[in-house]
Amino acid sequence: MQDAILTLEFDQLKAMLLERVRTPLGRGLVAGVGPSGDHASIVQRLRETSEGVAYLQQGTALDLHDLPDPEPSLAKLRIVDIALEPLGILNLLRLI
């Protein structure tokens, strides 16, 4: 599989994608992307990619550039008896 990764220039493609990602959550997702040998996983990723391309071809734009990073608030939600401050709640609501 290593030869395929080099041939497809996976690291360069990932770097190009990172240049276009607009949110901290997106950067984290891209950082976790890696090659897969699982057929079902590959098919699912291709479907998701095709859906995104079709969405963009319709001329629809997503304005995601100012979305806050939800991770600090989500981390607090994992702790028992910790309450979010109002700004944290509002930031999470903006993601819904």
Side-chain angles (χ1 to χ4, degrees):
M1 185 187 300
Q2 190 62 29
D3 288 340
I5 293 169
L6 292 173
T7 300
L8 296 172
E9 299 180 339
F10 183 80
D11 291 334
Q12 291 89 335
L13 288 171
K14 193 170 171 179
M16 288 172 59
L17 181 58
L18 277 171
E19 290 175 4
R20 298 185 183 340
V21 173
R22 298 180 179 175
T23 65
L25 185 59
R27 281 189 285 283
L29 290 172
V30 171
V33 169
S36 174
D38 177 47
H39 180 73
S41 174
I42 293 168
V43 169
Q44 178 62 31
R45 288 180 183 179
L46 287 172
R47 282 188 190 133
E48 292 168 355
T49 301
S50 296
E51 181 180 343
V53 168
Y55 186 80
L56 293 173
Q57 286 176 338
Q58 293 174 358
T60 308
L62 293 173
D63 186 15
L64 304 174
H65 71 280
D66 65 341
L67 287 179
D69 185 0
E71 192 51 43
S73 295
L74 292 174
K76 286 182 181 179
L77 290 175
R78 294 182 190 104
I79 302 171
V80 177
D81 295 331
I82 294 288
L84 288 180
E85 58 278 349
L87 183 58
I89 295 169
L90 288 173
N91 285 338
L92 290 176
L93 285 172
R94 290 181 62 203
L95 297 173
I96 297 176

